[in-house]
Amino acid sequence: MRTTITLPDDIVKDLMHHTHTKKTTEAVIIAIQEWLRMKKISEIKKLRGKLDIDEHLRELRQREIKKLDDING
């Protein structure tokens, strides 16, 4: 997608420095990807304590063991 935006020069220069890129487009893409990644991590962290992962993990392990027992006779 092509977009035209106006960004402060100092922010773009700083962004390009920290992303180690020579092109503004590359720097903006990296910044957006990183922001999205951090947002997803934040959403996952909010689930902490709300899921009973241990119980699900035990159930999955039991299924795998049963499957292997069935295969091996």
Side-chain angles (χ1 to χ4, degrees):
M1 170 192 292
R2 210 162 197 12
T3 303
T4 302
I5 57 174
T6 303
L7 300 170
D9 288 336
D10 57 331
I11 291 175
V12 173
K13 286 179 184 175
D14 196 29
L15 179 62
M16 291 173 69
H17 170 75
H18 288 289
T19 56
H20 307 288
T21 60
K22 294 181 181 181
K23 296 183 179 182
T24 306
T25 300
E26 291 175 27
V28 171
I29 289 171
I30 290 169
I32 292 170
Q33 288 172 334
E34 183 62 17
W35 184 84
L36 289 170
R37 187 180 76 80
M38 295 301 290
K39 197 72 172 159
K40 290 175 185 176
I41 289 170
S42 175
E43 293 297 316
I44 291 170
K45 285 182 177 180
K46 287 179 186 177
L47 296 175
R48 186 177 184 164
K50 294 183 181 180
L51 299 174
D52 187 8
I53 299 213
D54 291 331
E55 184 61 35
H56 293 292
L57 190 56
R58 272 187 234 109
E59 186 180 322
L60 286 171
R61 285 181 180 152
Q62 287 173 350
R63 284 185 198 167
E64 285 298 315
I65 290 169
K66 186 177 182 318
K67 219 187 274 186
L68 289 172
D69 286 345
D70 290 345
I71 291 172
N72 293 327

